[in-house]
Amino acid sequence: MLKEQKITWRQAIEGTTSGPLPTKWNVSSWPTIYVLDAKGVIRFKNPRGEKLGEVVDELLKEMGVKKAY
C-alpha cells in the first residue's frame, strides 16, 4: 500500500488499537495520523486530503524548506 500510494514518510502500523504503540499514543481507530515537527512534537492529529499536504508544507516552511510538491 505504501508503494501504491507513493507514501515516503515513516509509518508505524500495528494490527490492533490495544498494543503498546497505540496505547502510548492514544490511538482509538485506524488510520490515525500524527504529524510531528522537526523536534518530534505532535503538531497535528488526523489531517486528511489536501490538509495533510498543507500542514507538511507549513512545517517545512518553518524549517526553511520549499514546498514538498
Side-chain angles (χ1 to χ4, degrees), residues 8 16 41 52:
T8 58
T16 176
V41 175
L52 178 56

Side-chain angles (χ1 to χ4, degrees), residues 2-65:
L2 300 178
K3 286 181 184 179
E4 180 183 305
Q5 296 295 319
K6 298 180 183 173
I7 296 173
T8 58
W9 51 86
R10 292 182 185 180
Q11 301 290 310
I13 300 171
E14 269 188 54
T16 176
T17 57
S18 61
L21 183 63
T23 300
K24 180 178 180 178
W25 285 66
N26 196 28
V27 173
S28 58
S29 64
W30 298 107
T32 299
I33 301 170
Y34 292 98
V35 181
L36 287 65
D37 64 17
K39 295 178 182 178
V41 175
I42 297 171
R43 295 282 297 274
F44 302 94
K45 182 176 178 183
N46 288 324
R48 305 214 184 269
E50 275 189 42
K51 184 67 176 173
L52 178 56
E54 291 170 8
V55 301
V56 169
D57 285 339
E58 179 180 329
L59 295 176
L60 289 172
K61 184 177 177 182
E62 289 177 12
M63 295 171 55
V65 178

